[in-house]
Amino acid sequence: MSSDIAPIEESKIPGNHSARKIQRWNPSSIYATNIDNSSIQIDTDNTNNTDNTDAIHNNIPLNHISPAQMYSTDSGNMFHAGSICIIMVGLPGRGKTNLSISLCRYLRWLGVRTKLFHLGDYRRKNNNSDLNFEKLMSNSYFTPSPENLDIKLLKLKIKNNMINDIVKYFSNSNGQIAIYDAINGLSNERLELLNFFNSKNIKCLFIETIIDNINLLNENIKDSVNSPDYLNWDPEIALENFKNRIKISESYYQNLDIKSNSNLSFIQSFNFGEKMLINNLKHDFLTTKIVYYLLNAKIKSHSIYFARCSLNKLNFKDDPPINENGKNYINKIFNTLKNDFPNNEIPKDLIVWTSTRLRTIQSSEIFKENGCTVKHRPELTQLNPGAAEGLSNDQLKEKFNSDYCKYIDDPYHHRYPRAESYHDLALKIEPLILEMEKLSNDVLIIADETIIRIFYGYLMASNAIDIPSIKFPQNEIIKITYHTYNNQIEKLIVNDIDNE
């Protein structure tokens, strides 16, 4: 070796190289020493943080590891990306909140520390202030500059509180992306936000959602009244109130445009990915991921159903046809599912996904005969246990003692010899996740428990640590429904099936 080649220096900041040298998956950040757990959280119906709603609005705990995290650093952030505030722009009823939540879910799935900040939540938090709820829902509040001084000052206070929380999130909790969800309809206000965040060394990306398809707009407006603003309201009164709010916003709203906003980095999404206009973007890794996601994202209010396939005890390479027990099982799945739809009929626009294994292909025939679209995807093949297949814990401990200890320590990322890990499955099904994001139809996925765990982890914003231990009994169909503010889970019991 030539003597003029300099040796590799140790990192000047202790620990920066440890992701490669010591620990591949580092759940915490050495910089996040003052985690702010006081930030507002969604609690629309007292069901937040319970088993039937997802964790997308929860603060990210220090031990959180994202299921599809691509690499780990001691800082907890991706190299070279910096701090980014995604500022949503759009009239009411254009799907900003729905899209911001979906985008947050996807970015967290990839391992990007992301947090949602909904201006409406900060307003609702003030329901017990001197100004009552009616004033906070009044026409005056939703104008750019309310005539009532009390409302005007409170509106400014609410906005400043959220902006301050965003800055704290970056400085104290080592956040990487904050999503600012509000109308942000005035050009001068957007410029003020840009200048303020840039002064804090926070980059801004504006995303405007535009819907010019009347049918899509009407459907989205109907769904918008499921907002926490209208909890326990009469649906017709809520719809009338929301339409009035739209009219008020339309009177002052200014679209993003290249002529007057040429210095802004922004994306305009028309009808949820039907067409996109991109201005002044640096196509780094994260921005490219965001653009690609927006091309696939749709407004979602449908359900994803999960049913385990039959013959779950087979060896990985075995691929026999479905037997009589399997036929009886899938018939019971079909009949149970029917009861969850209007008129006890499975709709013909239900989309069914299975793996390419023979027994799952044959299981889907009953749905194909019903007129449903059926797709067989090799990505849905169960986790390959490799050399660990068929071995008990005692046998694994004896034969692969070192591997067994590593598996016990991290069952999500560890691979036995010639095996797959859950993390491998997560990366493998990412194309299916993006395809699922495009859909607006109900979907049934018939798959092995290992595959269902990964999809569940995505839809419910789970910690990777928890995924390998989630149980999905054979006698349950899991139903996860997209709602405006979170995903909700329901279990459909299949009668006369063993709970295994």
Side-chain angles (χ1 to χ4, degrees):
M1 180 181 292
S2 173
S3 60
D4 60 352
I5 298 178
I8 297 175
E9 295 183 6
E10 287 292 317
S11 171
K12 292 182 173 57
I13 301 177
N16 268 3
H17 59 294
S18 69
R20 295 181 182 275
K21 291 182 64 176
I22 301 174
Q23 185 177 358
R24 173 66 173 156
W25 306 107
N26 183 12
S28 63
S29 164
I30 61 174
Y31 301 100
T33 56
N34 185 23
I35 298 299
D36 179 11
N37 290 316
S38 63
S39 298
I40 189 167
Q41 295 187 13
I42 305 294
D43 194 10
T44 61
D45 55 1
N46 296 320
T47 59
N48 194 37
N49 295 324
T50 61
D51 290 336
N52 67 330
T53 58
D54 68 356
I56 195 61
H57 291 101
N58 294 0
N59 288 316
I60 302 175
L62 278 177
N63 71 342
H64 184 83
I65 299 178
S66 299
Q69 185 172 333
M70 289 160 286
Y71 60 83
S72 171
T73 64
D74 275 345
S75 71
N77 289 338
M78 292 188 171
F79 291 126
H80 314 304
S83 301
I84 303 170
C85 184
I86 295 176
I87 300 174
M88 304 301 295
V89 179
L91 288 164
R94 268 61 178 182
K96 296 183 303 299
T97 298
N98 195 307
L99 184 60
S100 64
I101 291 171
S102 296
L103 181 58
C104 181
R105 189 186 315 281
Y106 179 65
L107 290 172
R108 283 193 185 181
W109 167 259
L110 294 179
V112 185
R113 296 180 68 87
T114 308
K115 185 172 175 62
L116 292 158
F117 294 85
H118 303 291
L119 190 60
D121 292 335
Y122 283 75
R123 169 172 51 79
R124 286 183 285 272
K125 189 181 180 183
N126 283 269
N127 287 352
N128 296 323
S129 66
D130 292 337
L131 290 176
N132 59 29
F133 182 69
E134 284 72 23
K135 288 184 178 179
L136 284 168
M137 288 290 288
S138 68
N139 292 346
S140 177
Y141 184 91
F142 294 102
T143 59
S145 184
E147 293 180 1
N148 183 307
L149 182 60
D150 289 336
I151 293 179
K152 185 175 183 177
L153 291 175
L154 179 62
K155 186 173 180 178
L156 181 62
K157 176 186 173 183
I158 289 170
K159 181 178 179 180
N160 288 338
N161 284 346
M162 189 173 86
I163 291 174
N164 289 335
D165 279 354
I166 291 175
V167 174
K168 288 179 184 176
Y169 164 68
F170 286 116
S171 59
N172 296 349
S173 302
N174 200 42
Q176 182 143 48
I177 291 183
I179 301 180
Y180 181 138
D181 176 28
I183 294 174
N184 296 311
L186 292 174
S187 182
N188 64 320
E189 289 184 352
R190 296 192 289 261
L191 188 59
E192 288 175 5
L193 287 172
L194 174 69
N195 292 333
F196 173 79
F197 284 123
N198 284 350
S199 73
K200 303 292 184 182
N201 200 28
I202 300 167
K203 295 180 284 188
C204 291
L205 170 62
F206 295 84
I207 299 177
E208 182 177 22
T209 59
I210 299 172
I211 301 180
D212 53 21
N213 180 312
I214 299 301
N215 292 332
L216 179 60
L217 178 59
N218 289 336
E219 286 298 317
N220 199 51
I221 289 173
K222 288 179 183 178
D223 187 56
S224 295
V225 298
N226 294 319
S227 153
D229 278 342
Y230 300 108
L231 190 65
N232 300 322
W233 279 49
D234 177 272
E236 292 186 5
I237 297 175
L239 186 59
E240 181 181 354
N241 181 278
F242 189 73
K243 287 182 176 179
N244 191 49
R245 191 190 300 185
I246 294 174
K247 289 180 181 178
I248 294 169
S249 301
E250 287 175 336
S251 66
Y252 70 84
Y253 183 82
Q254 298 168 323
N255 288 101
L256 288 165
D257 68 271
I258 294 177
K259 288 184 179 179
S260 58
N261 301 114
S262 59
N263 60 328
L264 267 60
S265 297
F266 70 79
I267 300 169
Q268 280 182 319
S269 176
F270 294 81
N271 302 322
F272 292 92
E274 183 181 285
K275 180 176 69 173
M276 289 181 64
L277 175 64
I278 297 174
N279 181 67
N280 197 28
L281 289 192
K282 293 181 179 179
H283 291 283
D284 54 30
F285 176 79
L286 276 184
T287 305
T288 302
K289 280 287 188 182
I290 290 168
V291 170
Y292 188 56
Y293 178 82
L294 293 177
L295 287 169
N296 289 277
K298 295 288 183 290
I299 281 288
K300 296 177 284 294
S301 58
H302 58 287
S303 298
I304 311 294
Y305 296 86
F306 297 95
R308 282 177 57 182
C309 57
S310 61
L311 299 174
N312 291 284
K313 305 298 183 183
L314 292 173
N315 289 333
F316 178 77
K317 292 183 179 179
D318 291 345
D319 190 19
I322 192 170
N323 58 20
E324 284 303 314
N325 286 338
K327 291 177 183 177
N328 291 334
Y329 169 72
I330 201 64
N331 281 330
K332 290 173 182 176
I333 292 289
F334 183 87
N335 291 327
T336 302
L337 203 58
K338 281 199 307 185
N339 296 331
D340 199 56
F341 290 102
N343 303 318
N344 292 330
E345 291 183 5
I346 290 181
K348 297 188 185 304
D349 62 357
L350 175 72
I351 296 172
V352 181
W353 288 355
T354 79
S355 75
T356 53
R357 294 299 175 94
L358 182 57
R359 64 187 183 279
T360 58
I361 292 174
Q362 292 176 340
S363 293
S364 67
E365 288 299 320
I366 189 172
F367 294 95
K368 187 179 291 186
E369 292 169 1
N370 188 69
C372 302
T373 299
V374 176
K375 293 185 177 181
H376 309 298
R377 313 304 298 260
E379 299 94 334
L380 295 178
T381 302
Q382 71 264 37
L383 183 145
N384 184 351
E389 184 168 55
L391 300 181
S392 67
N393 285 341
D394 289 339
Q395 291 170 325
L396 287 169
K397 192 173 182 179
E398 180 181 351
K399 187 173 182 179
F400 302 108
N401 184 263
S402 175
D403 276 294
Y404 178 78
C405 293
K406 291 176 182 178
Y407 174 81
I408 295 299
D409 186 55
D410 186 3
Y412 187 83
H413 293 99
H414 181 261
R415 302 183 191 97
Y416 281 103
R418 300 186 302 282
E420 288 179 309
S421 68
Y422 278 99
H423 183 253
D424 295 328
L425 291 188
L427 298 180
K428 184 172 71 173
I429 70 169
E430 184 182 352
L432 296 188
I433 284 174
L434 289 171
E435 185 175 340
M436 188 169 67
E437 291 292 314
K438 282 184 178 181
L439 300 173
S440 55
N441 303 44
D442 291 327
V443 180
L444 168 65
I445 298 176
I446 303 173
D448 184 80
E449 188 174 31
T450 54
I451 294 292
I452 296 175
R453 285 170 177 158
I454 299 296
F455 277 105
Y456 179 95
Y458 172 75
L459 292 168
M460 302 303 286
S462 301
N463 192 329
I465 295 170
D466 301 323
I467 287 176
S469 60
I470 301 173
K471 299 297 183 184
F472 298 99
Q474 190 88 35
N475 68 335
E476 292 179 357
I477 299 173
I478 303 300
K479 175 185 178 182
I480 299 178
T481 303
Y482 295 101
H483 289 277
T484 305
Y485 266 69
N486 48 30
N487 292 343
Q488 295 185 359
I489 185 170
E490 182 182 351
K491 297 177 181 180
L492 311 179
I493 302 301
V494 185
N495 294 323
D496 301 323
I497 294 292
D498 291 337
N499 180 1
E500 59 177 48

